């Protein structure tokens, strides 16, 4: 490399300037991939078998890398300007052609605000701040276009275009709003909501659904694991919500304060839904045995798995042949969360499921597991008064329809872009260079993009309402879940409850390997990160660690991590 004469830079200054420029290109590459992992309806990650919760981690990693490279890009450029004593002149420039420095500075500041407010310390405690500042991505993308120019923007355009179309589809799907059919309040500040579902809607276990309650917030969407099975509950869908943050605590207080009014009935309230989103295949069915490890509210994904397996047990050759659920809770009241699956899996006929409960904060209790489970009768039931029919959850559109929607939107965008370029952009015939300012070209790109989105939205909305009128996926009947106590039976003694202790995973794995006779075991974990790390470490132990003397089989454990929240 040689010194840059136009800036009168020395060799090391020129090298620093080029490194800053390359960091800007790396940030651009990260931005090109940034929005792809968080596509919900059009996600390619579902085709690859990657759960949405895992794909969000890719989004976080790409966002962090983009901010790092963008900061190095901006910091290196400002350092060069400072060395040449021209920082005051350069940073406020809005050039007619070429890079617009002021737009780049606004882009960097906006990106830093989005990244800082998305840190776990803020996102977990002040979700509203994270949610609203994250919508500054619109400002970020617009000023990035002005800074980088249309040619560089085309590199990130596919991800932006797919994200906007996916956003439009989700907005259309969330209309019309539906109603909560019933709710149940558990002793451990957990509530279960039952929503109407179209019988044709099928989803896999561990799927999540996004919920918005306008009575609490008109903008906030929150994901929750679905605890029901579409093969068992044809007309309803259930989710469990633990009251921890402001949004969930508001919902809990709203239901709890009115639970005793009018003999357990209260006026209905509207909810909007997106999804469900989940894996296309059920990997847990390919294992000979399953070892499910849950902590607290982390049991929610396993409730749908257990119901799904129970619905297929009519075939004796179906896998898995043996299941063990290790459930760790702070107090015995938390065991009530297993109530949705009690009538399906805890009966005298089944022998394939074993439950081990560890209550960590209670000591020397004389209550048996049967006595604790019988206390589920303390759950408060609320039926909502809904005089008219409501729309059932219809789910996502099929892949063929979304492909056609994407094709039409792309054609409309290209048509608007070609027409606007021919009308507004003038080219010098001698040099074949445009005479138009760079910012005008960027504005034409934004206008073409906006017109394509508006046109696509109108077409998708008309198609959606046409299907709603013709197929009428409505729901007007109320269904309530009857509470049943656990009767004494011979098969109930196989389940265990331990007080004042935490699970020893090495002993649990060894015992389960002995019972399953060295079969291919799938280990699924959902709970605190420390629990996941402990189970993952145990899975990495050699097979000899789980073998007893005289046994020649080699158990094989496959580790899978599930999330009940994002």
């Amino acid at each position: 490399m040689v010194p840059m004469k136009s800036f009168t830079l020395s060799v090391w200054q020129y090298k620093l300037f080029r490194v800053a420029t390359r960091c800007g290109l790396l940030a651009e590459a990260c931005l090109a991939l940034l929005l792809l992992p968080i596509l919900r309806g059009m996600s390619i990650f579902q085709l690859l078998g990657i759960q949405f919760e895992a794909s969000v981690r890719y989004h976080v990693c790409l966002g962090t890398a983009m901010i790092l490279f963008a900061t190095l890009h901006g910091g290196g450029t400002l350092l060069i300007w400072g060395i040449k004593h021209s920082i005051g002149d350069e940073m406020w420039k809005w050039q007619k052609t070429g890079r617009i420095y002021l737009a780049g500075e606004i882009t960097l500041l906006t990106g830093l605000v989005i990244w800082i407010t998305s840190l776990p310390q803020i996102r977990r405690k002040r979700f509203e701040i994270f949610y609203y500042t994250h919508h500054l991505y619109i400002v970020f993308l617009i000023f990035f276009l002005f800074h980088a120019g249309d040619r560089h923007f085309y590199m990130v355009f596919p991800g932006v275009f797919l994200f906007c179309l996916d956003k439009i589809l989700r907005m259309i799907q969330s209309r019309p709003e539906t109603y909560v059919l019933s709710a149940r309040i558990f002793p451990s500040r957990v509530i279960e909501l039952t929503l109407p579902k179209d019988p044709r809607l099928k989803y896999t276990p561990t799927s999540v659904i996004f919920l918005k309650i306008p009575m609490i917030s008109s903008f906030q969407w929150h994901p929750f694991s679905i605890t029901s099975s579409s093969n068992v509950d044809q007309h309803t869908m259930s989710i469990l919500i633990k009251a921890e943050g402001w949004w969930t605590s508001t919902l809990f207080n709203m239901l709890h304060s009115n639970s005793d009014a009018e003999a357990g009935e209260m006026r209905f309230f509207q909810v909007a839904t997106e999804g469900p989103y989940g894996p296309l295949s059920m990997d847990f069915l390919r294992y000979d045995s399953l070892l499910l490890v849950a902590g607290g509210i982390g049991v929610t994904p396993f409730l749908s798995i257990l119901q799904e397996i129970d619905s297929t047990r009519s075939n004796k050759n179906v896998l898995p042949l043996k299941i063990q659920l290790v459930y760790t809770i702070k107090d015995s009241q938390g065991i009530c969360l297993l109530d949705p699956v009690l009538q399906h899996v805890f009966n005298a006929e089944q022998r394939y499921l074993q439950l081990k409960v560890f209550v960590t904060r209670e000591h020397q209790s004389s209550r048996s597991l049967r006595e604790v489970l019988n206390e589920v009768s303390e759950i408060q039931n609320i039926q909502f008064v809904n005089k008219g029919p409501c729309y059932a959850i219809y789910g996502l559109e099929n892949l063929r329809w979304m492909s056609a929607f994407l094709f039409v939107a792309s054609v409309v965008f290209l048509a608007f872009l070609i027409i606007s370029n021919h009308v507004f952009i003038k080219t010098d015939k001698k040099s074949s260079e445009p005479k138009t300012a760079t910012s005008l070209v960027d504005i034409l790109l934004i206008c073409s993009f906006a017109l394509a989105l508006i046109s696509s939205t109108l077409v998708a909305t008309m198609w959606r309402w046409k299907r709603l009128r013709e197929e009428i996926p409505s729901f007007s009947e109320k269904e309530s879940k009857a509470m049943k106590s656990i009767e004494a039976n011979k098969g109930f003694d196989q389940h265990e409850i331990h007080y004042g202790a935490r699970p020893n995973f090495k002993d649990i794995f060894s015992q389960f390997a002995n019972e399953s006779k060295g079969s291919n075991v799938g280990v699924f974990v959902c709970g605190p990160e420390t629990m996941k790390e402990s189970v993952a470490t145990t899975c990495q132990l050699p097979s000899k660690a789980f073998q007893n003397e005289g046994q020649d089989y080699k158990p094989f454990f496959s580790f899978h991590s599930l999330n009940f929240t994002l």
Side-chain angles (χ1 to χ4, degrees):
M1 293 189 296
V2 297
M4 195 170 183
K5 296 181 180 180
S6 58
F7 286 106
T8 62
L9 299 178
S10 62
V11 174
W12 75 271
Q13 293 172 351
Y14 178 73
K15 290 182 178 180
L16 179 61
F17 181 76
R18 298 305 296 171
V19 168
T21 303
R22 293 296 183 266
C23 287
L25 295 176
L26 289 173
E28 184 179 307
C30 293
L31 180 58
L33 303 173
L34 179 64
L35 298 176
L36 296 179
I38 55 174
L39 299 178
R40 298 177 190 172
M42 297 183 175
S43 177
I44 60 175
F45 287 84
Q46 295 182 14
L47 300 177
L48 299 176
I50 300 177
Q51 291 187 341
F52 180 73
E53 296 89 342
S55 64
V56 171
R57 296 184 180 180
Y58 291 102
H59 172 74
V60 173
C61 293
L62 287 169
T64 303
M66 182 194 69
I67 292 300
L68 173 62
F69 290 129
T71 303
L72 294 176
H73 168 68
T77 305
L78 290 174
L79 179 60
I80 295 298
W81 289 347
I83 292 174
K84 293 304 175 181
H85 305 287
S86 60
I87 189 171
D89 299 329
E90 298 291 341
M91 68 180 302
W92 303 108
K93 280 187 177 180
W94 189 282
Q95 302 93 318
K96 183 177 180 181
T97 57
R99 301 287 186 270
I100 300 177
Y101 299 144
L102 180 59
E105 295 152 12
I106 296 176
T107 303
L108 178 58
L109 291 176
T110 306
L112 287 173
V113 171
I114 296 175
W115 179 76
I116 292 174
T117 55
S118 63
L119 294 175
Q121 294 81 356
I122 299 178
R123 179 167 55 89
R124 296 294 185 187
K125 297 180 180 180
R126 297 290 186 269
F127 182 83
E128 296 76 18
I129 297 177
F130 156 77
Y131 181 82
Y132 294 121
T133 55
H134 232 62
H135 283 77
L136 291 175
Y137 71 86
I138 301 175
V139 178
F140 179 88
L141 292 173
I142 291 176
F143 281 96
F144 170 79
L145 171 61
F146 286 123
H147 173 65
D150 59 322
R151 294 184 181 180
H152 283 267
F153 188 77
Y154 284 132
M155 179 179 178
V156 306
F157 179 77
V160 176
F161 192 56
L162 289 175
F163 174 78
C164 292
L165 294 180
D166 182 76
K167 188 78 171 179
I168 290 173
L169 290 177
R170 290 190 279 118
M171 292 174 61
I172 296 175
Q173 184 209 355
S174 62
R175 299 290 181 178
E177 296 175 340
T178 185
Y179 304 94
V180 178
L181 300 177
S182 62
R184 297 196 295 169
I185 302 177
F186 292 84
S188 53
R189 287 183 61 84
V190 176
I191 56 178
E192 180 189 45
L193 298 182
T194 301
L195 307 172
K197 179 184 75 70
D198 185 19
R200 292 165 294 183
L201 175 60
K202 300 296 180 181
Y203 52 85
T204 55
T206 71
S207 296
V208 298
I209 189 169
F210 282 75
L211 193 70
K212 181 183 73 172
I213 301 180
M215 187 180 296
I216 300 177
S217 175
S218 301
F219 303 100
Q220 292 189 30
W221 291 87
H222 294 266
F224 299 101
S225 298
I226 300 176
T227 59
S228 57
S229 171
S230 57
N231 291 331
V232 177
D233 300 319
Q234 298 290 333
H235 299 276
T236 60
M237 175 188 298
S238 301
I239 58 175
L240 284 180
I241 303 175
K242 184 173 179 59
E244 291 182 332
W246 172 82
W247 191 91
T248 53
S249 297
T250 302
L251 176 61
F252 177 82
N253 295 332
M254 182 178 64
L255 295 175
H256 191 268
S257 60
N258 296 277
S259 59
D260 297 330
E262 298 182 6
E265 293 186 354
M266 64 179 297
R267 188 175 180 273
F268 66 91
F269 59 91
Q270 292 180 319
V271 295
T273 60
E274 289 182 7
Y277 306 102
L280 298 180
S281 60
M282 295 181 287
D283 292 337
F284 57 87
L285 293 180
R286 62 187 176 92
Y287 293 104
D288 300 331
S289 303
L290 286 181
L291 184 58
L292 311 178
V293 182
I297 193 64
V299 75
T300 51
F302 298 137
L303 299 180
S304 59
I305 290 179
L306 293 177
Q307 294 185 67
E308 186 75 22
I309 294 175
D310 185 69
S311 65
T312 59
R313 294 302 296 184
S314 57
N315 184 3
K316 295 183 179 180
N317 296 324
V318 70
L319 296 178
L321 301 177
K322 187 173 183 59
I323 304 174
Q324 184 174 109
L325 173 61
V326 181
Y327 187 31
T328 304
I329 50 179
K330 295 179 180 179
D331 51 66
S332 56
Q333 288 183 340
I335 203 173
C336 296
L337 298 183
L338 296 175
D339 177 70
V341 297
L342 294 183
Q343 58 181 336
H344 297 289
V345 294
F346 292 104
N347 54 68
E349 298 178 358
Q350 66 85 13
R351 287 284 182 175
Y352 67 92
L353 174 65
Q354 182 183 13
L355 173 65
K356 290 188 176 183
V357 180
F358 292 85
V359 184
T360 59
R361 295 186 180 180
E362 293 183 7
H363 302 275
Q364 299 178 353
S365 177
S366 59
R367 291 182 302 172
S368 64
L369 182 59
R370 184 188 298 108
E371 294 173 344
V372 175
L373 287 174
N374 283 330
E375 292 180 0
V376 298
S377 57
E378 299 178 0
I379 300 175
Q380 301 179 22
N381 296 313
I382 303 175
Q383 296 294 331
F384 293 92
V385 179
N386 182 15
K387 297 182 179 180
C390 63
Y391 283 99
I393 298 175
Y394 191 69
L396 302 173
E397 300 290 350
N398 58 61
L399 183 60
R400 184 179 301 176
W401 186 92
M402 287 191 291
S403 301
F405 175 74
L406 175 60
F407 175 77
V408 171
S410 303
V411 171
V412 172
F413 167 74
L414 291 175
F416 280 124
L417 187 62
I418 292 172
I419 294 173
S420 61
N421 274 269
H422 278 287
V423 173
F424 295 101
I425 296 181
K426 298 180 181 180
T427 305
D428 191 348
K429 296 181 179 180
K430 296 181 179 180
S431 62
S432 298
E433 293 293 334
K435 295 181 178 180
T436 312
T438 305
S439 57
L440 179 58
V441 179
D442 299 337
I443 293 175
L444 292 178
L445 176 60
I446 295 175
C447 292
S448 301
F449 182 65
L451 290 173
L453 293 181
I454 294 173
S455 303
S456 304
T457 302
L458 293 176
V459 173
T461 303
M462 290 187 294
W463 175 259
R464 176 75 173 183
W465 282 104
K466 180 182 178 182
R467 296 187 64 181
L468 289 176
R469 287 195 303 268
E470 293 177 353
E471 301 180 8
I472 318 177
S474 60
F475 188 94
S476 57
E477 298 179 359
K478 296 179 181 178
E479 296 186 5
S480 59
K481 295 184 178 180
M483 300 301 302
K484 297 181 179 180
S485 61
I486 304 299
E487 301 294 339
N489 55 68
K490 297 180 181 180
F492 199 78
D493 296 333
Q494 62 181 322
H495 306 296
E496 305 173 6
I497 183 169
H498 305 272
Y499 293 94
R502 295 183 181 275
N504 187 325
F505 291 113
K506 185 177 179 180
D507 294 342
I508 292 175
F509 275 53
S510 299
Q511 182 180 357
F512 189 73
N514 184 32
E515 295 174 355
S516 59
K517 303 301 180 182
S519 61
N520 186 19
V521 181
V523 181
F524 291 79
V525 187
C526 186
E529 292 298 324
T530 54
M531 173 184 287
K532 293 182 180 179
E533 293 175 0
S534 180
V535 174
T537 302
T538 308
C539 288
Q540 293 176 352
L541 295 177
S543 300
K544 295 181 180 180
F546 308 112
Q547 290 180 271
N548 297 326
E549 295 182 1
Q551 297 176 342
D552 56 352
Y553 60 81
K554 294 183 179 180
F556 180 76
F557 295 95
S558 299
F559 177 82
H560 299 271
S561 177
L562 302 178
N563 291 324
F564 57 89
T565 183
L566 297 180

